[in-house]
Amino acid sequence: MSHLDDLPSTPGKYKTDKVPPYGILHHHRYLRLSKLTLWASLFLALFLFYLIISPPPSPSRRNLNDSSSISAAKYGGSHWEKQVRKSARPRSRGGLTVLVTGASGFVGTHVSIALRRRGDGVLGLDNFNRYYDPKLKRARQGLLERSGVFVVEGDINDAVLLKKLFDVVLFTHVMHLAAQAGVRYAMQNPGSYVNSNIAGFVNLLEVSKSANPQPAIVWASSSSVYGLNSKVPFSEKDRTDQPASLYAATKKAGEGIAHTYNHIYGLSLTGLRFFTVYGPWGRPDMAYFFFTKDILKGKTITVFESPDKGSVARDFTYIDDIVKGCLGALDTAEKSTGSGGKKKGPAMFRIYNLGNTSPVPVTKLVTILEKLLKMKAKKKVMPLPRNGDVEFTHANITLAQAELGYKPAVDLETGLKKFVKWYMGFYTGSKKKSSW
C-alpha cells in the first residue's frame, strides 16, 4: 500500500491561526518551536538511518506476479510498436488478431504457435514470474519468436500497458491463459492467486470492455471448480460451489466475474475448464513431470491414495487436444455487443469442459513412465493430504463435442511417449533411454 493511501480523501480547507500578541508569548512559542524542530530533526535522522541499514525484502516474500513496476521500462517507442503490430498482423485473409496472455506458459505457447501457423495474428503477453524455472519459459519464448510471435514482457495487472496494447492493435479476440497455477502452492502464497486469477482478470476485462471494438474473450477456467462434487463424469450443469482449494475458489470466482461483465458490458466470454493438461514443454509442478525427473535420478516418488485405499485418478488430457479445443472456442466465439463500455445487446456466454473423458489412476501413470524410461520407480504410498487435491477428475465433454467440434484423440501412453522424448532431449540432450 502506498503511503498516499493513508491520506484522507477530502482533507478539507486549510485554516490559519490567529496571530497572538507580540511579547512573552512570542518567546515561549519560539522555545516550543525550537524543541519541535529538534525532535523532528532527530526523528528524521533515525528514520533515514533505519532505511539505510534495513535489508531489502526477501525474494520469497515478494509477490510472484508483481512485475508491473518494471514492465513500464520494457515497452514503448516506435521500434516496440512496430514489433507489436507485425506480430499481431494476420497473414491470411479473415484471420483473427489475438492477444494471448500467459503466452510463454505451457498452454499459451502451444496455442500461440498453432494460431500463428494457420495464419492468425498473435501478440503474446507474459510476466515470466518465478513460480517455476523461468528458464523454461524463456526457452518457450524462443520457440514463439521463431514462429513469428512477439511476447511483450509485462503483467496483466498493469492497466497502462494493457491500454497501450489495445491502442496499438485492434484485437478481435483475447485468449486469456495468464494465471497463478497449482493447487498446493496456494497454502504458501495465497495472495498470488488473488492478485493474478481475480484482480488480473478484472483488470483485463476492464480494459477489454472499454475497447472499441470490444474483443471476444476466451479464458482458462479449471476442472478444479468441481471441487468436492462426487457425481461423475463432471458436467457443466453440475454444482461448483464446493471448492477444495484456494486455486479452485479463484477460478470459480473468475467464472462469476466473467458472467457479470458479460451481463453488464456485453463482452462475449467463453470459459474452458481444463482437465490435467500434460505433454512436451509442460509445467514442472505437475506429477508426470516431476515423477519423470525423480525416477531418472533414482529418487523416491510419493504416490497418494484415497481414504478407501484406492488410487487417485486424473482425466489426463494431451496438450494437442487442448489446443484444438481452444481454437474451436475462438473460432465459434460471437462478437461482443458493447462499445466504449456500454452494452448494446445480449452477448455470448459459454462454459465448456476440455478433458479426455478417460480417467487414469496415478499408479498406471507411474507404470507407463517406468516402461518408457526403462527404470523402476522407488515408490512411497501415502494418504491424500488435505492440501486441496481431490481424489479424481472425470470430464463429460458432450457439450464441447457438439458446439466446438472437440474430440480428444491422444491416449495417455502415446502422449507420455512424446513428453518423455521431449524431456530427454531438453534436459539431457540424449534420447538413448527412451523406448523408440
Side-chain angles (χ1 to χ4, degrees):
M1 178 180 292
S2 169
H3 68 281
L4 297 176
D5 294 334
D6 295 329
L7 296 177
S9 57
T10 53
K13 297 180 179 179
Y14 176 74
K15 296 181 180 180
T16 57
D17 295 328
K18 293 182 179 179
V19 180
Y22 186 81
I24 296 176
L25 288 178
H26 176 77
H27 177 67
H28 288 169
R29 171 185 288 180
Y30 176 78
L31 292 176
R32 287 197 301 269
L33 191 59
S34 297
K35 291 180 179 179
L36 181 63
T37 302
L38 177 63
W39 283 110
S41 300
L42 182 61
F43 175 78
L44 180 61
L46 289 172
F47 179 68
L48 291 174
F49 179 71
Y50 171 78
L51 290 179
I52 293 172
I53 65 172
S54 294
S58 169
S60 63
R61 295 179 61 87
R62 294 175 186 157
N63 192 310
L64 293 178
N65 295 303
D66 186 17
S67 65
S68 59
S69 60
I70 63 171
S71 65
K74 296 182 179 293
Y75 64 83
S78 58
H79 177 67
W80 178 86
E81 290 189 11
K82 183 178 180 180
Q83 287 180 296
V84 167
R85 289 194 178 95
K86 180 181 179 181
S87 183
R89 186 180 302 119
R91 293 182 293 185
S92 62
R93 180 176 296 181
L96 309 181
T97 302
V98 189
L99 171 65
V100 180
T101 70
S104 292
F106 175 32
V107 179
T109 296
H110 286 271
V111 169
S112 297
I113 291 175
L115 287 169
R116 194 62 178 162
R117 281 178 177 170
R118 72 177 197 177
D120 296 316
V122 183
L123 179 68
L125 176 64
D126 203 292
N127 70 352
F128 296 92
N129 71 26
R130 296 163 292 167
Y131 170 60
Y132 60 81
D133 187 3
K135 292 180 181 178
L136 178 56
K137 297 180 183 180
R138 294 297 182 183
R140 296 190 192 121
Q141 183 184 19
L143 286 180
L144 292 169
E145 289 177 349
R146 290 192 290 275
S147 298
V149 178
F150 178 59
V151 181
V152 175
E153 184 167 351
D155 197 282
I156 55 173
N157 283 288
D158 189 341
V160 175
L161 171 57
L162 286 181
K163 289 176 183 176
K164 178 68 174 178
L165 293 178
F166 276 80
D167 286 342
V168 176
V169 177
L170 297 178
F171 295 107
T172 61
H173 295 74
V174 173
M175 185 77 219
H176 178 49
L177 298 168
Q180 176 57 61
V183 170
R184 302 172 192 174
Y185 183 66
M187 299 179 74
Q188 302 175 40
N189 190 356
S192 64
Y193 290 78
V194 177
N195 181 61
S196 182
N197 302 358
I198 297 178
F201 190 27
V202 169
N203 192 50
L204 176 67
L205 293 174
E206 276 291 304
V207 175
S208 297
K209 60 98 170 173
S210 299
N212 195 7
Q214 293 176 338
I217 299 173
V218 178
W219 93 97
S221 185
S222 169
S223 62
S224 68
V225 300
Y226 292 108
L228 303 178
N229 177 37
S230 58
K231 174 183 169 294
V232 291
F234 299 155
S235 167
E236 292 89 347
K237 296 179 180 179
D238 292 341
R239 64 185 299 181
T240 54
D241 59 351
Q242 301 179 93
S245 66
L246 179 61
Y247 169 71
T250 59
K251 284 297 186 178
K252 175 58 182 175
E255 292 186 359
I257 290 168
H259 185 274
T260 301
Y261 275 80
N262 166 266
H263 173 68
I264 297 176
Y265 300 110
L267 282 172
S268 172
L269 283 148
T270 302
L272 303 176
R273 292 172 178 170
F274 295 158
F275 281 71
T276 316
V277 190
Y278 73 100
W281 298 96
R283 280 181 16 221
D285 64 324
M286 300 292 285
Y288 73 93
F289 199 113
F290 60 76
F291 279 178
T292 299
K293 175 182 177 182
D294 290 343
I295 291 172
L296 287 172
K297 291 185 176 181
K299 293 183 177 181
T300 301
I301 64 173
T302 301
V303 179
F304 295 122
E305 63 179 10
S306 60
D308 61 358
K309 304 299 182 180
S311 177
V312 172
R314 293 288 181 268
D315 199 342
F316 295 100
T317 314
Y318 190 64
I319 182 61
D320 289 1
D321 291 329
I322 288 292
V323 169
K324 292 175 184 176
C326 290
L327 268 58
L330 288 168
D331 291 341
T332 59
E334 296 176 359
K335 292 182 179 180
S336 294
T337 62
S339 177
K342 294 183 180 180
K343 181 178 178 180
K344 293 185 178 181
M348 172 180 279
F349 183 81
R350 310 177 294 174
I351 298 286
Y352 296 105
N353 288 337
L354 293 187
N356 193 53
T357 199
S358 299
V360 176
V362 174
T363 50
K364 183 175 180 180
L365 166 73
V366 175
T367 300
I368 295 173
L369 287 176
E370 289 176 324
K371 174 184 174 182
L372 296 174
L373 297 171
K374 297 183 178 180
M375 292 184 68
K376 196 71 177 176
K378 298 177 181 178
K379 298 185 287 286
K380 178 172 67 175
V381 180
M382 294 182 63
L384 187 68
R386 289 178 174 269
N387 58 8
D389 278 325
V390 294
E391 295 179 29
F392 57 85
T393 60
H394 184 182
N396 180 329
I397 59 173
T398 304
L399 192 62
Q401 285 178 321
E403 299 185 9
L404 303 182
Y406 175 69
K407 188 177 180 180
V410 182
D411 64 88
L412 182 59
E413 184 163 353
T414 300
L416 286 177
K417 274 186 179 181
K418 296 180 179 181
F419 165 73
V420 170
K421 182 177 182 179
W422 166 81
Y423 185 95
M424 300 301 293
F426 186 79
Y427 285 102
T428 71
S430 171
K431 300 178 182 178
K432 292 181 180 179
K433 293 185 179 180
S434 58
S435 59
W436 58 89

